[in-house]
Amino acid sequence: MTLLTEDQPCRFSAPDSPLASMECYPVDSGPKEDYLDCMEPAVFGAVEPLKRSRGRLIMHGMVMFGREFCYAVEAAFVTPVLLSVGLPKRLYSLVWLISPILGFILQPVIGSASDYCRSPWGRRRPYILLLGIMMLVGLTLFLNGDAVTSAVLEDRNVKRTWAIVVVMFGVVMFDFAADFIDGPIKAYLFDVCSHRDKERGLHYHALLTGLGGACGYLIGAMDWGHSVLGVILGSEYQVIYFFSSLTWGLFLTMHLFSIPEKPLMKDHSSDSCPATSLLLEDPHHNGYGAVYKEPPPLPEMRQRSFSALSEANAVTPSAKQPNSEVQKRMTLKSLLSAMISMPSHYRCLCVSHLLGWTAFLCNMLFFTDFMGQIVYKGNPYAEHNSTSYATYERGVEVGCWGLCINAVSSALYSYVQRLLLPYIGLKGLYFLGYFVFGLGTGLIGLFPNIVATLTLCCVFGVMSSTLYTIPFNLISEYHKAEEEQRKLRSGEPALEGRGTGMDCAALTCMVQLAQVIVGAGLGALVNLAGSVIVVVLSASSVSLIGCLFIAVFM
């Protein structure tokens, strides 16, 4: 039997001969369990990504543990650190504006650029490594800025100014890289996994995200200042930095060596199998952000040979596109145009994701400050040796315990989602996450006491698990449906399709936009209301609005 392609035929051995004798069949080195799959995809879907073992998928998801560990440290300490170095209260929400504005502008460009990265190490991993290094540098400046400026400068006023600048720069760099890295990580998973393994991988991502956040908040909730490590390293923040940098460096390395990526080659030599190159190609894709291209005449045999193409590979870009066209597609104007003209179901998904992240960030970024000021009635502007400031610090520590409860519940809810999915579907899970979060945060705002607040922190985990999994599962389902439609319309002219980096970037841009909204609006809202309790009530209101949007438009 002969499989016809544009370049040259890739011949298979006779039907009665062993499958291992098939010419040009791609073989990778690795554990045997990574490559067990059914016979049909092996024969008719040579482009189907190989089955990944549980160990490989867990290694791939460990980066989410490290990322969320560091995110937990930032969420717990960024507001207290900024206020403690002397940043005026009216300006502290400004920190959340700089990074997301840059991210909203650059995220689509980076996402699309990773679709066409020709590094021998793969398309996504070079970007993940660079952003991971930026995260580490930002974390270093954020947690050590005050100590460094105190050691270098003597003048109190100059020291305060430079401490604010260094800490703010560290927060912006960390936040920028931590938000950016999510898109390439998800695209990396989609590129190297089949549709079934994508769902398993996203489940492990959600589980490890919850566990990483729990460990991060647990570290923040402990009093390290009077411990042995605190004495050795100098202060509580240096101890937390030690654990954070070690965790991030270790799990980022595990992630980068988890699953090999096939590089996007500049050209294909005549002695290579075209079926292998088709891992990075989709001749029948038709979607937003597409560039029209007349297909070459194909023999009838090709139509049948690709009837079993995996939906996981249908969203990957062409490896043969000219460099000039690649550069054209990576301009900001063309990418924004592509996002604006996206299909309605993608647009509704982006809007609901924006509402969800706006509500979630309203609550999470200011929760420890809410605990310190409202629940414990402390004062972050008091003298550091005063009772009022000590009470505020105690509230921040208890707030970390609440966020730890949130992270544990996020990990547990990732299992509950799998049990509920057959009964209420993805839309039902999406609605449920928003509704539970909106109801819980509303009760926290109305009854701000210690027991009620800590008890209701579990609803934060429901929202966290929902935001990290359901939208990406919906993208996977959308691509699967689009692939089925392409099979039915296979005789029509084809379009060059967008890459997974573009799709994940579109969703991640909503996170950036949510940060812009939170940064621009909450500071003024808190000043107007005169209390940070308005933050929790705003989170509840936006989340319930998101419920209605999902019910009506999704």
Side-chain angles (χ1 to χ4, degrees):
M1 183 177 74
T2 302
L3 181 68
L4 298 179
T5 65
E6 295 180 33
D7 303 322
Q8 65 174 22
C10 183
R11 299 186 180 278
F12 293 77
S13 55
D16 56 345
S17 61
L19 182 62
S21 65
M22 182 177 67
E23 297 177 19
C24 299
Y25 188 79
V27 178
D28 296 326
S29 58
K32 179 179 179 181
E33 60 267 22
D34 279 1
Y35 310 118
L36 299 177
D37 210 341
C38 61
M39 187 66 70
E40 182 178 348
V43 177
F44 294 105
V47 297
E48 172 79 15
L50 301 171
K51 180 176 172 59
R52 306 299 177 184
S53 67
R54 179 180 300 175
R56 293 275 183 166
L57 291 175
I58 291 176
M59 284 181 64
H60 189 280
M62 291 306 287
V63 70
M64 299 304 294
F65 183 101
R67 173 180 177 265
E68 199 63 21
F69 187 101
C70 297
Y71 243 150
V73 169
E74 185 205 30
F77 290 102
V78 64
T79 301
V81 167
L82 287 172
L83 295 180
S84 66
V85 297
L87 184 72
K89 188 174 181 179
R90 65 182 182 276
L91 298 178
Y92 75 159
S93 63
L94 180 66
V95 177
W96 306 113
L97 278 176
I98 304 172
S99 170
I101 288 175
L102 291 174
F104 186 74
I105 294 173
L106 297 177
Q107 181 81 15
V109 178
I110 298 296
S112 182
S114 71
D115 284 333
Y116 303 99
C117 177
R118 300 187 184 277
S119 168
W121 207 31
R123 295 188 291 168
R124 317 296 180 185
R125 289 188 291 180
Y127 287 90
I128 294 172
L129 177 61
L130 177 62
L131 293 168
I133 294 173
M134 291 178 62
M135 279 183 61
L136 187 59
V137 173
L139 192 69
T140 302
L141 297 177
F142 161 49
L143 291 175
N144 298 287
D146 191 24
V148 171
T149 53
S150 297
V152 174
L153 301 173
E154 294 183 358
D155 186 88
R156 184 175 181 179
N157 293 329
V158 176
K159 182 184 70 174
R160 176 185 174 185
T161 302
W162 277 103
I164 293 174
V165 171
V166 172
V167 171
M168 284 187 65
F169 184 77
V171 171
V172 169
M173 177 179 283
F174 173 85
D175 205 47
F176 176 85
D179 287 341
F180 256 62
I181 204 170
D182 190 51
I185 288 172
K186 292 297 191 298
Y188 178 16
L189 176 71
F190 286 8
D191 286 348
V192 298
C193 291
S194 64
H195 181 72
R196 182 179 180 83
D197 284 343
K198 288 179 195 176
E199 295 178 347
R200 294 171 60 210
L202 288 172
H203 167 69
Y204 290 128
H205 278 205
L207 175 63
L208 292 167
T209 295
L211 293 176
C215 292
Y217 292 124
L218 186 62
I219 292 294
M222 296 181 179
D223 183 11
W224 295 103
H226 301 90
S227 66
V228 176
L229 277 176
V231 174
I232 294 174
L233 296 177
S235 73
E236 179 181 21
Y237 290 146
Q238 273 68 60
V239 176
I240 293 171
Y241 169 72
F242 170 76
F243 285 114
S244 301
S245 58
L246 182 65
T247 301
W248 175 240
L250 176 63
F251 291 145
L252 176 64
T253 303
M254 291 178 63
H255 170 76
L256 293 173
F257 289 95
S258 59
I259 302 175
E261 268 193 287
K262 185 174 289 296
L264 185 66
M265 305 304 294
K266 293 183 180 180
D267 49 31
H268 306 280
S269 58
S270 58
D271 60 343
S272 64
C273 178
T276 304
S277 69
L278 286 169
L279 277 164
L280 304 175
E281 183 173 1
D282 172 29
H284 299 299
H285 191 77
N286 185 8
Y288 75 89
V291 177
Y292 189 83
K293 178 181 177 182
E294 289 292 340
L298 301 176
E300 292 183 1
M301 186 63 183
R302 176 169 183 159
Q303 180 83 18
R304 179 179 180 274
S305 299
F306 283 86
S307 61
L309 276 177
S310 166
E311 65 276 5
N313 296 294
V315 295
T316 53
S318 172
K320 297 182 179 181
Q321 193 174 17
N323 288 338
S324 60
E325 189 173 330
V326 171
Q327 294 299 323
K328 179 181 178 182
R329 291 180 61 167
M330 287 193 297
T331 61
L332 179 61
K333 181 179 179 181
S334 62
L335 288 170
L336 290 178
S337 176
M339 292 175 64
I340 293 172
S341 61
M342 65 176 65
S344 60
H345 50 279
Y346 282 99
R347 189 179 299 111
C348 290
L349 178 60
C350 286
V351 172
S352 63
H353 202 54
L354 172 64
L355 292 172
W357 271 104
T358 301
F360 190 66
L361 291 174
C362 277
N363 183 71
M364 299 301 291
L365 296 180
F366 299 94
F367 181 72
T368 53
D369 186 51
F370 169 81
M371 288 291 292
Q373 292 196 54
I374 302 301
V375 178
Y376 273 78
K377 304 186 186 308
N379 183 8
Y381 295 102
E383 293 294 330
H384 287 200
N385 57 354
S386 66
T387 303
S388 183
Y389 185 81
T391 303
Y392 175 80
E393 280 196 320
R394 177 58 183 165
V396 171
E397 291 179 358
V398 175
C400 289
W401 283 108
L403 295 177
C404 183
I405 295 172
N406 141 62
V408 172
S409 66
S410 175
L412 295 176
Y413 185 68
S414 66
Y415 276 101
V416 175
Q417 280 182 328
R418 301 183 71 181
L419 299 177
L420 293 177
L421 181 60
Y423 300 100
I424 62 177
L426 288 174
K427 180 178 178 179
L429 285 173
Y430 210 11
F431 178 89
L432 181 64
Y434 280 48
F435 178 76
V436 170
F437 179 78
L439 182 63
T441 49
L443 292 175
I444 288 174
L446 295 175
F447 307 100
N449 61 76
I450 299 173
V451 176
T453 301
L454 291 180
T455 302
L456 291 170
C457 279
C458 59
V459 304
F460 303 165
V462 174
M463 186 64 157
S464 173
S465 183
T466 298
L467 291 173
Y468 279 119
T469 57
I470 302 300
F472 294 99
N473 275 322
L474 286 170
I475 278 188
S476 182
E477 291 297 325
Y478 291 160
H479 286 317
K480 184 177 180 181
E482 288 172 359
E483 171 63 13
E484 294 298 325
Q485 292 177 1
R486 283 193 295 274
K487 291 175 185 177
L488 296 176
R489 302 194 310 263
S490 56
E492 297 180 3
L495 294 173
E496 287 278 341
R498 65 193 184 277
T500 25
M502 176 66 181
D503 290 325
C504 294
L507 264 189
T508 311
C509 274
M510 299 303 103
V511 183
Q512 316 289 342
L513 187 56
Q515 282 188 308
V516 172
I517 294 172
V518 171
L522 272 190
L525 198 60
V526 169
N527 286 332
L528 183 64
S531 172
V532 294
I533 198 171
V534 71
V535 171
V536 178
L537 296 177
S538 299
S540 176
S541 301
V542 176
S543 183
L544 293 176
I545 292 172
C547 285
L548 296 177
F549 185 87
I550 291 171
V552 176
F553 297 104
M554 289 293 295

